[in-house]
Amino acid sequence: MIKIHKTMKYLSMVLVVLLAGLSNTAWSKDFRLGLLTPPTHIWTKAAEAFGAELNEKSGGTHTVQVFPARQLGNEAQMLQQLQSGALDMAFMTVAEVSNRAPDFGAFYAPFLAQDIGHAARILRSDVAKDMLKQLPQQVGVVGVDYGMAGLRQILSRGEVNSPDDLAGKKLRITPFDPILDFYNILGAAPTPMPLPAVYDALSNGQVDAIDMDSELIWKLKYYEHAQTIVHSNHMMFPMVGLVSAKVWAGLSEGDRAMISEIMRKHLGGVLDTYVEMDPVWIEQVRDTGKSFKQVGPEFFGDAPQKWDEIWSKRSSMLSQIREVSVSTAN
Ligand code: BEZ
């Protein structure tokens, strides 16, 4: 009896040692990463490059299967999947995240960034990075780092000489509150619509205008259905690399460090690409021969100020992010 007892005790000790060892061991894992952008988009390419490098650096232990173009659902659905652990990772607009964590709405303060390089510096700031720390508690995801798309412009099927020309006009927006408020203040009729629906809606006149970046105005040929491009650079459009907090909790320290380092590198590459290419796409859009109006904050009257009045109550980070904007300006 004593012998059986001793054997059991020994076996349970061995089990404890084995389990302790396993929690620090890299389990082989097939991660799934979702995005809304099409397969050729810079975000999707960066996600694939991240997956390839993780596979290589983990000695083939980990793989990442990338699901672009909303194959796993829209961003709201992908965020739910991340929360439940059904999805491992996503490269997602901060717009969607700001629907759950309003502090992130501060990034959409009109004319926060003077140009695309300034937008990247704001996103690389310590204040911006610190904000990611609230995501596990508040949203159930780990925010690894930021990427972005280009600054926002307005493309219209009709002539636009002042915001009055947008009054009552159905203007496509990405579905999130900060941009909805901006166009409501301007008196337009903002129409939330996910990216894949935009081309048809613009070409068949379901919307009169769209809020969009220069890359997609150029590459997806939205300009073909426009009379006017208002080059306003009125808002930034950050993206964030996310890992499900549930999935993260089950990873070893070593895997967390490896994933963070590689994902950060590729998100940083996305920032660099936009800094380099945004001015090039704008030139290409200008060269289409469409009516091209270069405007600044004054074009929008007191709308930026009114936006700040609303969002200073909703985002506790607005004044700090405005300070970062000042300290990182050229
Ligand atoms: C948009 O909704 O306009 C958008 C979403 C992702 C990347 C670029 C643009």
Side-chain angles (χ1 to χ4, degrees), residues 36-37 41 43 93 149 152 172 174 195 212-213 216 237:
L36 116 153
T37 47
H41 192 268
W43 296 5
T93 65
R152 305 304 285 188
R172 176 270 165 176
T174 310
L195 190 60
M212 189 53 65
D213 61 54
L216 298 184
F237 203 75

Side-chain angles (χ1 to χ4, degrees), residues 11-279:
L11 282 176
S12 59
M13 275 164 64
V14 169
L15 197 64
V16 167
V17 170
L18 272 177
L19 286 176
L22 282 177
S23 69
N24 285 317
T25 301
W27 287 94
S28 121
K29 182 116 173 78
D30 299 322
F31 294 106
R32 297 160 81 241
L33 188 156
L35 309 106
L36 116 153
T37 47
T40 52
H41 192 268
I42 288 163
W43 296 5
T44 312
K45 293 287 173 207
E48 281 166 355
F50 155 71
E53 191 169 339
L54 184 62
N55 183 255
E56 185 205 318
K57 296 265 163 72
S58 66
T61 306
H62 299 317
T63 58
V64 179
Q65 209 180 337
V66 175
F67 294 87
R70 293 207 306 169
Q71 281 175 40
L72 303 178
N74 61 28
E75 286 196 327
Q77 289 162 333
M78 281 192 273
L79 200 49
Q80 274 173 6
Q81 293 163 28
L82 287 170
Q83 288 169 324
S84 71
L87 177 63
D88 302 300
M89 300 169 174
F91 282 5
M92 190 170 280
T93 65
V94 168
E96 184 56 46
V97 174
S98 76
N99 287 333
R100 319 264 178 128
D103 269 0
F104 286 78
F107 288 120
Y108 301 98
F111 299 99
L112 185 68
Q114 292 167 335
D115 55 38
I116 193 77
H118 190 199
R121 291 197 294 281
I122 292 169
L123 292 171
R124 285 185 158 123
S125 69
D126 290 343
V127 173
K129 287 188 196 264
D130 266 4
M131 285 171 70
L132 295 173
K133 291 184 186 150
Q134 55 176 280
L135 289 180
Q137 274 282 338
Q138 228 178 317
V139 189
V141 291
V142 172
V144 175
D145 213 341
Y146 299 98
M148 68 177 174
L151 298 175
R152 305 304 285 188
Q153 325 296 343
I154 301 168
L155 176 146
S156 166
R157 285 166 59 92
E159 190 65 29
V160 180
N161 292 304
S162 80
D164 290 347
D165 295 322
L166 296 172
K169 291 279 175 6
K170 286 184 104 182
L171 192 152
R172 176 270 165 176
I173 55 163
T174 310
F176 70 113
D177 285 343
I179 199 142
L180 183 78
D181 289 337
F182 182 68
Y183 284 110
N184 272 332
I185 294 168
L186 276 183
T191 309
M193 186 178 285
L195 190 60
V198 175
Y199 189 88
D200 287 348
L202 183 69
S203 61
N204 66 25
Q206 193 189 332
V207 291
D208 305 298
I210 61 173
D211 181 279
M212 189 53 65
D213 61 54
S214 58
E215 175 191 13
L216 298 184
I217 293 175
W218 171 245
K219 289 189 185 165
L220 298 184
K221 299 191 188 322
Y222 293 133
Y223 63 85
E224 286 181 348
H225 302 285
Q227 189 176 345
T228 313
I229 289 116
V230 181
H231 179 223
S232 50
N233 280 349
H234 55 275
M235 258 180 210
M236 290 171 38
F237 203 75
M239 171 266 264
V240 61
L242 300 174
V243 181
S244 158
K246 279 203 172 146
V247 171
W248 191 255
L251 294 175
S252 69
E253 283 298 328
D255 277 350
R256 288 182 194 169
M258 180 164 51
I259 289 167
S260 302
E261 188 189 328
I262 300 170
M263 196 183 274
R264 258 185 212 124
K265 174 181 153 188
H266 290 280
L267 292 169
V270 169
L271 294 180
D272 293 339
T273 302
Y274 279 94
V275 171
E276 184 191 338
M277 293 304 296
D278 209 47

